[in-house]
Amino acid sequence: MDAINLKWLQKVVICVLIITGLWLIDIFFKLAKTSVLFDNFAGLVYLVGVFFIAYFSLKQKEIIPLNKEEKKEIDILINETSGLKSNQKKLISDDELKGMKSILIQVMDHKKPFLDPKLSLFKLASQLNISTHLLSYIINKGCNENFYQFINTYRIEEAKKMIQDSNMEHLSLMGIAFEVGFNSKTVFNTTFKKMTNQTPSEFKKAILAMM
């Protein structure tokens, strides 16, 4: 994927400032009425400026380009809302939900996809060969969590194991955070504290004190 370049916005701002400057000069000094040359020049600048802004605006790519299938799935998820809903439409039977939840847990336990910092609902659903819509339903109904809560629970549990593992002593807490799939120190610390009532440092000190 090409890197997103937003430098075009700077060019657009400069263009708008030039147009605004000419317009203000014309208002204060009435140059368009007294100078045909200025009037023609200003008109040309306005025209070029409009085409310049239109060109770069239309040329700019989506910030997060998605394929058609992903856009379709996102529309479905938005309509369902991101929250957990008790009156959510039933997609599969309770027995099917139990079976698919079991498969999901096996994948999480053995393949550990949560270690991928770029893991998304799309990626996990593709590993299970189901739609993101159905995966979201399984997590919401079967685990009573949303996707990010579900994934971060596994990441924190893995982090706790690594902190207690003497073979991982060479890793800092931030190194462990990266190893289990987090890419932000703040998110790691906040999530860890929320799930364990301890910061990673406090948890590590408590473990060392028990040894």
Side-chain angles (χ1 to χ4, degrees), residues 49-180:
V50 170
F51 278 109
F52 179 86
I53 294 172
Y55 171 76
F56 278 99
S57 298
L58 293 173
K59 183 181 178 182
Q60 176 62 17
K61 296 180 179 180
E62 294 176 278
I63 299 300
I64 307 176
L66 302 171
N67 60 40
K68 291 182 179 179
E69 187 62 29
E70 289 174 333
K71 288 179 178 179
K72 179 180 178 182
E73 296 287 358
I74 282 179
D75 288 339
I76 293 173
L77 292 175
I78 289 174
N79 290 334
E80 288 289 326
T81 75
S82 58
L84 304 179
K85 298 169 66 176
S86 59
N87 60 344
Q88 189 176 12
K89 182 180 178 181
K90 195 168 186 176
L91 298 181
I92 52 180
S93 68
D94 292 340
D95 287 339
E96 288 176 315
L97 175 60
K98 185 177 180 180
M100 297 193 77
K101 176 187 173 182
S102 177
I103 294 173
L104 171 61
I105 298 302
Q106 288 180 32
V107 169
M108 297 297 291
D109 288 340
H110 299 295
K111 295 186 177 181
K112 298 187 177 183
F114 56 86
L115 298 179
D116 178 5
K118 295 183 179 179
L119 182 67
S120 66
L121 194 63
F122 298 116
K123 283 187 176 182
L124 185 55
S126 66
Q127 291 186 34
L128 296 166
N129 198 29
I130 59 176
S131 71
T132 54
H133 183 42
L134 180 55
L135 175 57
S136 179
Y137 179 86
I138 294 168
I139 294 174
N140 291 170
K141 286 294 186 181
C143 306
N144 199 33
E145 294 179 303
N146 63 38
F147 173 74
Y148 293 104
Q149 291 170 336
F150 179 72
I151 296 301
N152 284 339
T153 296
Y154 275 90
R155 287 173 175 166
I156 293 302
E157 288 302 316
E158 189 70 15
K160 288 165 63 179
K161 292 177 184 177
M162 292 180 71
I163 291 173
Q164 298 175 74
D165 188 349
S166 59
N167 294 323
M168 296 295 171
E169 289 180 354
H170 64 286
L171 288 176
S172 65
L173 289 174
M174 197 62 245
I176 290 176
F178 288 136
E179 286 292 321
V180 300

Side-chain angles (χ1 to χ4, degrees), residues 23-38:
W23 178 67
L24 291 174
I25 290 173
D26 185 27
I27 289 178
F28 285 110
F29 299 102
K30 308 295 183 183
L31 293 180
K33 293 183 178 180
T34 59
S35 173
V36 176
L37 180 62
F38 179 84

